[in-house]
Amino acid sequence: MTESQRLLLALVLTLIYMVWVGVLLWRHYLPKLTKKPINQGSFLIAYASQSGNARALAQQYADEKSPQHSVVVTPLSELSLRHLANTQRALFVVSTYGHGEPPDNGRAFFMKLQNAVKQTLSLQALTFDMVALGDSHYTHFCGFGEKLFQLLEQCGATAASALTRLDHAKGETGKSAVSFATGNTNTLVLEDRQQLNKMSPNPLFEIALSGHNATWEAGDILDILPANSEQDIAYWLNSHNINGDLEFDYQDQAWTAKRWLTHRQLNTPSTASSPVAILTALPLVATRSYTIASICEENSLKLIVRQHKQDNGKLGLCSGWLTHHVHCGSPIRAKIKHNPACHIPILPTPLLLIGAGSGLAGIRAQFAKFSQSTISPRPTSIWLIFGERSPNNDDVLEQVIDVNHAATAIRVDKVFSRCPKQPRYVQDKLMQSAEEIKNLVLKGGQIYVCGSYEGMGEGVHQALLDILGEAQVQHLIDQQRYHRDTY
Ligand SMILES: Cc1cc2nc3c(=O)[nH]c(=O)nc-3n(C[C@H](O)[C@H](O)[C@H](O)COP(=O)(O)O)c2cc1C
């Protein structure tokens, strides 16, 4: 073959590849930019959810309603104002994220509604109810639900009932709480627990659980019903002068005081007089969410858990239980929560995985998914930016991820905030790599972030706003190319 024939062949092959990538991207992103038509006569259940709670609750309401009504369930990101204006009955199930802000799949809709109010949009045909999910530890408790409720009323919609607020801090998770109370959950078993950073004052553990028929995808979350330690239960019984062997019936089930207290909030003050009334007034403990660190094909559900110490020196309820109190072989009551916002689509484009601390869990799961030999099409490259505290004590990445074993081009940047020579956070690394980030986005790349919202999640978001601008970041959110699992 002559030189010019070789050149021509290379050109033709490149063209074919570009067309193939173009078709894949077009097929993937076009549906996200065009809203599906929604049957106007249906009962609309619209949700906005960052980590899946509001979505799961919306689905439960839909399952309950669907025998009598034609029901449409949709995220707010798929709902147009035109459809809403022609809808007569709707239920909104929305959580709050950030500092009183909408979740990512409610943000664009909320901005459109805010603008529409100024342009006198009429929602007079609409009667709605709203369930707002939030957590009263936050300053703006159910802040997004409140704002959305007001905006809908300003547009002329009629509220059929007052805003219902569900407080995660009080264990109020709507219908899904019922299944924990009645035991309708996955019972997993603790198989193994290893501290990854043996010399660190901030212990980080890898925890392996097993469970029959448990299935999940990278990006999913495990909601765990934590248990009180035996010492805390004994202390509570003693201080309330109640015998742990006291037997009683509650909702047709036989209990002993000790067993009942396993999953109850022990610090709840009570005015009840009889021991049974005091016991049954205690609410169920609030569930804790952990990003699953493995993929189903590994046959082990792994978590990466930071052991938290409270100001009084005691270990955090769930992290203390998982990393210290619970014995191997013990059952763990938990539910796998599907989190489609973090099911990263498989596309032949670059993938940037960003995480810090226990956010390593999400990175590990995504990496396991994208480095599987059978995956197709492959990301053109995987870039991993991981942050921890001390390079001496917390350099744990390679213990949980085999970065040399990926079938695609891989780049790893590790940064340490307590590095004496060069202290840096992941957001600093992003700012330093601004041109490469722009390039990655230009090539259709996707970004996944996992770890604490305060500090890391906010810092990464601000860095992306600084590098790409607000419109581009919103565009990434709308196209579901920016996946946030920050907690
Ligand atoms: C990063 C982050 C920020 C949050 N900010 C608020 C807030 O400002 N106000 C509030 O009431 N709840 C806040 N929450 C609590 C969530 O709304 C609550 O956990 C809810 O159940 C999450 O539902 P979702 O999984 O549908 O997003 C926040 C949760 C996270 C993880």
Side-chain angles (χ1 to χ4, degrees), residues 133-184:
L133 283 74
D135 187 319
S136 55
H137 288 127
Y138 289 90
T139 316
H140 308 282
F141 175 49
C142 291
F144 175 57
E146 286 173 359
K147 286 185 221 162
L148 184 63
F149 193 96
Q150 274 179 9
L151 264 185
L152 290 169
E153 284 197 317
Q154 273 176 18
C155 293
T158 307
S161 58
L163 175 67
T164 302
R165 294 175 183 79
L166 295 178
D167 186 357
H168 188 262
K170 293 195 185 136
E172 299 168 354
T173 47
K175 292 173 181 300
S176 55
V178 174
S179 58
F180 266 115
T182 54
N184 177 17

Side-chain angles (χ1 to χ4, degrees), residues 311-455:
D311 294 342
N312 60 9
K314 280 180 66 177
L315 297 180
L317 176 64
C318 197
S319 74
W321 180 59
L322 286 173
T323 62
H324 183 72
H325 297 299
V326 68
H327 303 291
C328 278
S330 303
I332 310 276
R333 282 177 65 189
K335 263 198 314 189
I336 292 170
K337 188 166 66 187
H338 292 282
N339 185 22
C342 291
H343 294 169
I344 305 178
I346 300 167
L347 292 170
T349 54
L351 176 62
L352 172 58
L353 304 175
I354 306 167
S358 57
L360 181 55
I363 304 244
R364 191 194 176 284
Q366 301 295 354
F367 192 82
K369 166 177 166 177
F370 284 98
S371 56
Q372 279 180 97
S373 56
T374 48
I375 206 146
S376 172
R378 256 170 213 298
T380 48
S381 62
I382 301 179
W383 179 9
L384 210 151
I385 303 180
F386 179 62
E388 251 295 358
R389 291 177 204 195
S390 151
N392 301 325
N393 299 331
D394 301 308
D395 190 1
V396 296
L397 182 76
E398 283 84 0
Q399 279 184 63
V400 295
I401 299 180
D402 186 358
V403 286
N404 298 318
H405 241 93
T408 188
I410 177 132
R411 166 177 170 186
V412 178
D413 285 303
K414 289 190 284 188
V415 291
F416 295 95
S417 58
R418 312 269 160 94
C419 175
K421 276 195 209 139
Q422 205 183 15
R424 274 187 314 174
Y425 293 96
V426 285
Q427 52 269 38
D428 301 328
K429 181 72 211 166
L430 289 181
M431 289 309 292
Q432 273 178 357
S433 317
E435 287 311 310
E436 287 157 284
I437 302 288
K438 283 184 197 161
N439 220 344
L440 178 135
V441 170
L442 212 65
K443 288 180 178 162
Q446 304 192 72
I447 302 174
Y448 169 80
V449 189
C450 190
S452 146
Y453 177 80
E454 260 179 52

